[in-house]
Amino acid sequence: MSQLLRFYSGSHPDHRGRTLAEILRQDDFWLEMKHDYIQWLFPLAEPSRASPNAPLLDGATIQAFKTDEQLRNHMRAAFVRMLKFYGLRVNATGISKADNWPDRKGNWFTQNTHNSLRLTRMIKSLHALGFDWWAKNL
């Protein structure tokens, strides 16, 4: 099993010793200040310049995310946490502003920040891993 799949299954940490559950429990300030977790939460096939230790997607990993319910549930948890970070939430028809929108929009919506790159990464990763509805709505 790949390093990424072990991380997403919850059995192994990332390159800094953080588990998926630990990352998802962090507050918004931590998520804003740290720059090397997003590559683990939303992996891509191409290497990251910001986090060269981040795992890469390959065909077997993509297939696992498309078929393994535990991996899919953990991806849902990561997606929901990041939406909360941005002041968004999933609803029956798409993605909408959450109650914390007024507090969170300044970190990304009203100005161009590194969070724009994070959102782009999320969309690409979600699409690659079979979460097309989320990618499209985000």
Side-chain angles (χ1 to χ4, degrees), residues 7-103:
F7 170 77
Y8 247 96
S9 72
S11 67
H12 285 74
D14 68 3
H15 68 292
R16 296 216 186 260
R18 306 169 298 202
T19 65
L20 175 63
E22 289 169 340
I23 292 171
L24 298 183
R25 282 194 302 263
Q26 297 299 325
D27 63 20
D28 289 340
F29 181 78
W30 187 94
L31 293 175
E32 180 63 38
M33 299 311 295
K34 300 295 180 184
H35 298 280
D36 63 350
Y37 68 89
I38 198 75
Q39 296 83 0
W40 285 81
L41 295 186
F42 298 95
L44 298 174
E46 58 269 4
S48 167
R49 289 182 288 148
S51 184
N53 295 314
L56 301 178
L57 290 179
D58 60 23
T61 303
I62 291 169
Q63 188 59 33
F65 269 94
K66 288 181 177 182
T67 59
D68 184 296
E69 198 58 33
Q70 180 187 40
L71 295 174
R72 295 183 69 73
N73 286 336
H74 288 175
M75 177 57 77
R76 284 183 194 100
F79 182 61
V80 167
R81 176 61 188 104
M82 290 307 296
L83 286 182
K84 182 179 176 188
F85 172 74
Y86 291 116
L88 302 170
R89 64 182 173 85
V90 176
N91 61 42
T93 60
I95 295 172
S96 62
K97 295 174 185 173
D99 293 341
N100 65 336
W101 169 256
D103 297 327

Side-chain angles (χ1 to χ4, degrees), residues 99-131:
D99 293 341
N100 65 336
W101 169 256
D103 297 327
R104 301 304 307 157
K105 70 180 180 179
N107 277 358
W108 68 279
F109 189 73
T110 58
Q111 58 185 330
N112 189 15
T113 69
H114 64 275
N115 283 306
S116 299
L117 296 173
R118 288 178 175 177
L119 285 159
T120 301
R121 170 176 278 278
M122 289 172 61
I123 293 166
K124 288 179 179 180
S125 180
L126 290 166
H127 178 70
L129 296 173
F131 295 91

